[in-house]
Every structure is written in C-alpha cells, then in structure tokens.
C-alpha cells in the first residue's frame, strides 16, 4: 500500500522544483479502482469508485492526491485507467493477470486455479495499444493545473473461461483447471467504456484479442 503511495507523494511535493515539468502522466487502474459492476454496465470515468482491494484503494488515494496537488500546480496531469494489459515481454516467471498465468501453465504443464468457475468477466488491452494511448496523452495540449482522466480498454468483456479457450486453441494445448470459490477481492464484471478518449484524443484499440494472444504465443516460442 505505502509502496504505491509514498513515492508519488514525494514526487508531487517536489514538483514545484521541476521547472521544465509540463505534464505528469499517472498509470492508475481501470479494474481495481471501480470495484464491481452490479448491473454488468461498462464503467465510464464518472462512475463511482469503490475499490475492493488495498491495491485499488491505493490507486484511488493517489488519484485524489494528484487532484489536490494540481489545484495550484504549474503543470497538468493525466490519469490513465487501463484495463488488463497483456502482451509480448510480460513476466512469465511471476505473471500478473490471467493471460500470463495461462501461458505459464502451458509452459510448466501445471493446472491453474479457476475462481468462480472462470465466469469472471474482464476487459483486455494489448500493451502496444496502451503505449499509443500514453503517447497521445503526452502529445495532447493541456492547460496547467488541469487534470484529465481516461479509461484505456477494449470496450469488450471476455470471461476467464473464454481466455483459456483462446489460449488453448492458439497453443494447441489443454490447460487443466482447479475450480475454486469466488474471492472477495475479485470483481465479477469489469469492463471499461473508452468513449471519452475516443472523442477527445481520437484513440481506440487496434489489436484484436485473438491477434494479441497469438503474438504473445509467438514471442514465447521464440524466447
């Protein structure tokens, strides 16, 4: 918790010393910060923020502090809330997210734990699409002391079971699963609405999920 908060506070407290600082871009979380969608609606940037984990709470506090500091700052800030980011070069030794976990299970030939029967729905974004969104945000004109927030996702929900099916098909393998009950830190449905960044910066994802997963598998085989 403090690992996520303290460095940010120290940096922003000294932001006035960085005379050449024009814009601060902060990577928040599009999944953990919103919490669960009770009616399976996609989250917009104005949706209520109800994190269900310490990680999500730390992102919420960080965002609040950015708004607090930017009231009198000489620079602008952009808060990005990405969905589940995946792609080539991700850590497969200690993977984060179901995509990394699934591919590691294939490499290790070990089963994975599947919570809530794998019916949890998530939004996935390829890292290259995410990188382009960051680029657009950096290059966009903004006024000092201004904070804008953007969801970065695919606008499309996919269940964990569907992800495993796609990974199995791409790798021509079969991931064994161990069914586990739902966890309190997991949201059943988390999908982002990216209308805001589409309208303001003309950004939208370009890499379909199946194509992105195939790219990851090709990278793993080369690696």
């Amino acid at each position: 918790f403090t690992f996520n908060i303290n460095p940010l506070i120290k940096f922003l407290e000294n932001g006035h010393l960085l005379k050449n600082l024009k814009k601060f871009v902060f990577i928040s979380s599009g999944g953990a910060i919103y919490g669960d969608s009770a009616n399976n609606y996609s989250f917009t940037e104005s949706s209520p923020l109800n994190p269900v984990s310490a990680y999500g709470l730390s992102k919420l506090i960080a965002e609040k502090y950015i708004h607090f500091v930017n009231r009198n700052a000489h620079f602008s800030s952009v808060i990005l809330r990405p969905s589940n980011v995946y792609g080539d070069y991700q850590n497969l030794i200690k993977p984060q997210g179901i995509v990394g976990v699934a591919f590691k299970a294939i490499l290790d030939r070990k089963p994975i734990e599947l919570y809530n029967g794998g019916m949890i729905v998530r939004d996935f974004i390829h890292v290259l699409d995410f990188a382009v969104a960051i680029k657009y945000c950096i290059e966009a004109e903004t006024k000092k002391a201004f904070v804008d927030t953007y969801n970065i996702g695919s606008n499309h929900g996919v269940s964990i079971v569907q992800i495993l099916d796609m990974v199995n098909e791409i790798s021509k393998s079969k991931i064994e699963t161990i069914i586990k009950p739902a966890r309190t830190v997991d949201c059943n449905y988390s999908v982002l609405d990216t209308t805001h960044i589409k309208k303001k910066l003309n950004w939208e994802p370009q890499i379909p999920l199946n194509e992105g997963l195939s790219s990851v598998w090709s990278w793993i085989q080369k690696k």
Side-chain angles (χ1 to χ4, degrees):
F1 187 88
T2 56
F3 177 79
N4 289 321
I5 298 296
N6 290 344
L8 173 71
I9 292 177
K10 290 180 180 179
F11 176 83
L12 292 177
E13 284 181 344
N14 292 289
H16 66 283
L17 301 175
L18 304 174
K19 302 302 181 182
N20 293 325
L21 178 61
K22 301 297 182 183
K23 183 181 296 182
F24 175 66
V25 178
F26 176 70
I27 310 301
S28 185
S29 170
I33 200 167
Y34 289 114
D36 208 350
S37 176
N39 299 311
N40 289 356
Y41 290 140
S42 297
F43 293 111
T44 68
E45 289 82 357
S46 60
S47 294
L49 305 178
N50 299 302
V52 296
S53 65
Y55 173 75
L57 180 60
S58 71
K59 291 297 186 180
L60 176 56
I61 293 173
E63 288 193 14
K64 293 291 186 182
Y65 196 80
I66 290 170
H67 280 276
F68 173 75
V69 169
N70 263 90
R71 293 181 304 172
N72 301 304
H74 67 276
F75 56 90
S76 63
S77 292
V78 179
I79 296 172
L80 301 181
R81 295 173 178 166
S83 59
N84 294 267
V85 183
Y86 73 98
D88 306 3
Y89 303 101
Q90 63 187 97
N91 187 351
L92 293 180
I93 298 176
K94 190 177 181 181
Q96 291 181 319
I98 185 59
V99 173
V101 169
F103 281 117
K104 180 174 172 58
I106 291 174
L107 295 176
D108 294 346
R109 298 182 180 179
K110 292 182 178 180
I112 65 172
E113 295 179 337
L114 199 59
Y115 296 96
N116 196 24
M119 300 312 295
I120 293 172
V121 174
R122 291 291 182 268
D123 183 355
F124 295 86
I125 185 74
H126 193 277
V127 66
L128 294 181
D129 279 332
F130 184 36
V132 172
I134 295 174
K135 177 177 181 289
Y136 281 19
C137 290
I138 291 174
E139 295 176 346
E141 293 290 335
T142 51
K143 298 178 180 179
K144 67 178 182 179
F146 179 78
V147 181
D148 208 348
T149 303
Y150 297 111
N151 285 339
I152 310 295
S154 68
N155 296 295
H156 181 64
V158 181
S159 72
I160 303 304
V161 167
Q162 289 176 301
I163 289 290
L164 296 183
D165 287 342
M166 294 172 73
V167 170
N168 282 335
E169 182 178 353
I170 290 168
S171 64
K172 294 180 173 55
S173 302
K174 176 62 178 178
I175 301 173
E176 298 298 327
T177 58
I178 301 173
I179 304 300
K180 294 281 188 175
R183 300 179 297 184
T184 57
V185 296
D186 287 329
C187 302
N188 290 321
Y189 189 92
S190 181
V191 178
L192 304 183
D193 183 322
T194 61
T195 301
H196 180 48
I197 192 171
K198 165 63 176 176
K199 288 184 176 180
K200 196 161 185 180
L201 301 182
N202 196 31
W203 175 91
E204 58 184 340
Q206 301 296 317
I207 303 175
L209 181 56
N210 190 67
E211 179 182 321
L213 293 175
S214 296
S215 176
V216 174
W217 181 240
S218 295
W219 165 72
I220 290 173
Q221 291 179 303
K222 294 176 182 177
K223 181 175 181 294

